Amino acid sequence: MSHRWRSWLGREWSWLAYVVVYAVAFIVLMVFQSSTYFADPDSFYHAKMAMLIRDQGIIHSFPWLDLTVLGHNYTDQHFLYHVLLIPFVTWLPPLVGLKLATVVFGSTLFTAIYWMFRRLRVRWPLLFVIILLLIRPFTFRVSLAKAPSTSLIFLFLGMTWMFEYKLRRLFVLAFAYVWYYGGFPLLGLTSIIVGATSWVHNRFMTHHDSHRFVNKLLALVGRHRRVEHSRHLNGKMVAVVVGGLAAGLVFNPYFPVNLTFYYHQLVNIGIINFQKVIGVGNEWYPYSVGDLLANGAFASLLLLIACIGIVLRFRAQSKQSWALAIMTVGAFLLTLKSRRYVEYYIPIAVVFSAVSISDTLRGLPWPNIQHTFKRWFLTTARGRWAATLIAMYLVFGVGWLAGRDFHNELSDLWQGFRLDRFTVISAWLREHTPAGSRIVHSDWDEFPVLFYQNTHNTYIVGLDPTFLYKADPDRYWTWVDITLGRFSGDLKRAVTETLRSQYVFVATGHQVMDDQFRSNTDFQIVYADVEATVYKVRTDTQP
């Protein structure tokens, strides 16, 4: 029976392995999602956008943040992601459906990376996927219910098709990537890196016989034209990807407004980033080298092994390995600038390591290596003891590190924003405030939760404070000074004229802001519970 089982497994493993990868990833990610919290408030925004698109179609305007850049240049940069969420938020309670969608998309990502390993003939592809699943910074980002990490599916499919020159597929993928996530320029940059690396590798690291007589012979049999044609494939590949991205921008429900939006999103937020000027999200602040190497210890170890292999067998490295090496260095530098890019650095580093290690091992005299291993570790008592100690160190060391990271990741993901946060107070706002009335809230990360619970009102700032800062710096700093309790001017005038509101929402924990309004006779408390307090201007004048 065992022989029959092994025989069946050997025959069916080519497809069964994908099921195993998906199932293992699904179970791990499901454990991470099995709480009543979201670690990132943007999850509420994504669930609500899927519901709005389901009920109203494409959302072209965003009145809920009309004082920001989004009030005039709104683009749903996650449009396809929100469309894919619709079945999940419809067939299940919306936030529960979003959690399930996060597990499904994340499992698909790990399966896509396994598929990439198989296409690139990586040795032990299942092992490398399991290692990737154990790296805490990456699985944490994948477990956030938002689009960036799942957009990696597009990126890794694109890389594979670039290596294989699947031009038609690349065009369609590039077009769809623009509609799925605002980080689409990474696909264009990747195509340039792959194309340039391939050209350099073919030019300087691949031996070609360029003798004129040989070329004449090749022309006689019709091969010379194909050789000349292959030299232009890299340029065509880059042109196809860039063309697909451009088409996705132009043939877009948000064109031409999306051009202005992407300028703010990609340049002002992604590249310039005002982290030294205004308070932005934690993910935009730097990652120290030590923390990055330590938190991604498994990736760091793989990179070390890959680098040793490159030193030992430099010319054995393929053009895919060199392209991935450049991408790894670039992603590493980006992550040092903003920690959010760790979701690119870690998987690209693991993929590079897997490909490079496989290149290093390819063509080695394995019988001689096996004989040497047996002679060192299996033929003598001292060797067997050494092998046992090494094995124990690896098992217990890896097990301890994986267990520690798993526990810490559960702690990170099982806290944050409760699924029912602001439910009661949002219901009160819907029933007791005029439709469209603006709420001055105490922090910009409260917006996604308030937006999910209550689209009856509009708000001051959300998704990124840069959107308000770029629209009106003076209004931004007025709001910041109010929330920090350091505003020294006429508070009533600031709320009613600068922020154009009658209502102030102060979440529990913002004590200095609460004290400022509680002691001001121009405002009165109209609602309070354990989560927040709502103040109203003592006047009937509309903002």
Side-chain angles (χ1 to χ4, degrees):
M1 183 65 180
S2 62
H3 174 73
R4 187 178 303 173
W5 169 256
R6 288 195 300 269
S7 177
W8 176 85
L9 191 62
R11 291 194 309 269
E12 305 298 333
W13 182 249
S14 60
W15 65 267
L16 190 60
Y18 290 98
V19 178
V20 171
V21 170
Y22 189 91
V24 171
F26 190 94
I27 292 171
V28 172
L29 297 179
M30 181 62 81
V31 172
F32 290 149
Q33 292 296 332
S34 57
S35 74
T36 57
Y37 289 85
F38 280 124
D40 192 304
D42 286 352
S43 305
F44 293 88
Y45 163 77
H46 293 303
K48 191 64 175 184
M49 286 302 300
M51 297 165 66
L52 289 175
I53 293 173
R54 177 197 63 192
D55 298 336
Q56 303 177 19
I58 298 175
I59 306 300
H60 286 282
S61 61
F62 205 75
W64 300 281
L65 290 175
D66 60 337
L67 296 182
T68 73
V69 168
L70 301 178
H72 303 286
N73 300 292
Y74 178 72
T75 294
D76 185 357
Q77 63 166 327
H78 311 104
F79 177 72
L80 277 186
Y81 174 67
H82 293 151
V83 170
L84 293 176
L85 289 179
I86 290 176
F88 295 94
V89 301
T90 302
W91 299 335
L92 293 169
L95 297 182
V96 175
L98 179 59
K99 280 181 168 286
L100 178 61
T102 303
V103 174
V104 171
F105 297 159
S107 304
T108 303
L109 170 59
F110 283 99
T111 307
I113 294 174
Y114 177 79
W115 170 82
M116 183 181 186
F117 285 153
R118 294 278 292 265
R119 298 294 295 182
L120 297 179
R121 297 186 302 158
V122 166
R123 288 177 178 266
W124 315 303
L126 184 60
L127 173 64
F128 286 108
V129 172
I130 296 300
I131 291 174
L132 183 59
L133 195 58
L134 293 176
I135 301 177
R136 176 187 172 194
F138 180 61
T139 51
F140 175 81
R141 295 291 301 179
V142 172
S143 297
L144 298 179
K146 49 200 300 186
S149 56
T150 57
S151 71
L152 289 169
I153 297 172
F154 287 81
L155 189 61
F156 286 116
L157 285 178
M159 284 184 196
T160 307
W161 288 339
M162 288 173 198
F163 294 142
E164 298 176 347
Y165 298 103
K166 304 291 186 181
L167 301 186
R168 293 180 181 177
R169 298 179 188 179
L170 279 172
F171 183 87
V172 175
L173 183 79
F175 184 95
Y177 200 177
V178 177
W179 287 41
Y180 189 88
Y181 176 55
F184 61 85
L186 288 172
L187 189 67
L189 181 60
T190 299
S191 71
I192 294 172
I193 293 173
V194 171
T197 305
S198 178
W199 181 85
V200 171
H201 189 274
N202 292 337
R203 178 69 177 81
F204 298 103
M205 300 188 69
T206 305
H207 296 289
H208 296 289
D209 191 345
S210 58
H211 195 281
R212 292 181 180 178
F213 179 70
V214 174
N215 284 337
K216 290 180 180 179
L217 290 178
L218 290 175
L220 288 176
V221 297
R223 292 181 58 194
H224 182 69
R225 181 174 298 177
R226 291 195 295 272
V227 171
E228 287 294 320
H229 173 70
S230 67
R231 295 179 182 177
H232 301 289
L233 273 179
N234 292 314
K236 286 184 177 180
M237 181 266 292
V238 175
V240 164
V241 172
V242 173
L245 296 176
L249 280 172
V250 175
F251 297 99
N252 189 293
Y254 296 97
F255 183 81
V257 173
N258 58 346
L259 301 182
T260 303
F261 170 83
Y262 284 125
Y263 170 77
H264 289 290
Q265 179 67 35
L266 299 175
V267 178
N268 287 332
I269 296 177
I271 298 176
I272 298 176
N273 197 274
F274 295 93
Q275 59 181 253
K276 295 182 179 179
V277 180
I278 64 176
V280 296
N282 289 332
E283 63 182 14
W284 290 108
Y285 289 97
Y287 221 136
S288 70
V289 175
D291 287 343
L292 181 56
L293 295 178
N295 291 341
F298 291 123
S300 302
L301 179 60
L302 287 178
L303 284 174
L304 177 61
I305 296 172
C307 290
I308 293 174
I310 290 174
V311 172
L312 295 177
R313 301 200 67 203
F314 183 84
R315 298 195 66 84
Q317 303 302 309
S318 63
K319 57 186 177 183
Q320 291 88 349
S321 178
W322 288 117
L324 288 164
I326 295 172
M327 285 183 264
T328 299
V329 173
F332 179 79
L333 296 176
L334 279 176
T335 307
L336 295 183
K337 178 180 183 294
S338 297
R339 61 177 53 239
R340 64 152 304 153
Y341 294 114
V342 72
E343 66 198 33
Y344 296 100
Y345 163 66
I346 292 295
I348 292 174
V350 171
V351 171
F352 156 67
S353 300
V355 173
S356 179
I357 291 171
S358 298
D359 288 342
T360 300
L361 297 178
R362 194 168 289 120
L364 290 178
W366 284 104
N368 294 343
I369 294 175
Q370 291 174 355
H371 175 74
T372 302
F373 177 83
K374 290 178 181 179
R375 180 164 54 85
W376 284 4
F377 294 108
L378 300 180
T379 58
T380 65
R382 182 177 298 177
R384 287 191 291 271
W385 271 107
T388 301
L389 290 175
I390 293 173
M392 291 178 62
Y393 177 80
L394 290 175
V395 170
F396 287 105
V398 170
W400 177 84
L401 187 60
R404 182 204 65 181
D405 286 352
F406 185 83
H407 176 267
N408 290 338
E409 189 164 351
L410 280 181
S411 300
D412 292 338
L413 291 169
W414 284 11
Q415 62 181 332
F417 301 82
R418 286 196 334 272
L419 301 189
D420 62 349
R421 190 174 190 185
F422 299 152
T423 300
V424 177
I425 197 168
S426 295
W428 186 92
L429 288 170
R430 284 196 305 271
E431 295 173 4
H432 296 87
T433 61
S437 56
R438 186 173 295 109
I439 307 298
V440 177
H441 46 103
S442 48
D443 207 337
W444 66 272
D445 65 0
E446 294 161 359
F447 165 76
V449 186
L450 292 169
F451 172 66
Y452 174 81
Q453 302 288 4
N454 174 23
T455 54
H456 172 85
N457 295 107
T458 62
Y459 304 94
I460 295 293
V461 58
L463 301 182
D464 194 288
T466 306
F467 291 129
L468 178 60
Y469 176 75
K470 294 301 294 183
D472 190 331
D474 291 336
R475 179 176 285 135
Y476 170 81
W477 287 116
T478 297
W479 171 75
V480 168
D481 289 341
I482 290 174
T483 60
L484 296 180
R486 65 189 187 196
F487 186 79
S488 59
D490 187 334
L491 189 59
K492 177 182 176 181
R493 184 175 181 179
V495 171
T496 58
E497 296 184 13
T498 304
L499 302 181
R500 290 188 271 172
S501 176
Q502 293 284 323
Y503 298 91
V504 178
F505 174 99
V506 184
T508 301
H510 293 265
Q511 193 60 49
V512 291
M513 181 180 179
D514 188 68
D515 291 342
Q516 184 176 222
F517 283 95
R518 192 177 295 270
S519 61
N520 193 303
T521 57
D522 288 327
F523 295 87
Q524 61 179 334
I525 297 176
V526 291
Y527 180 86
D529 61 20
V530 295
E531 291 189 306
T533 301
V534 177
Y535 293 88
K536 186 179 184 300
V537 177
R538 291 182 183 272
T539 178
D540 294 330
T541 305
Q542 295 299 314

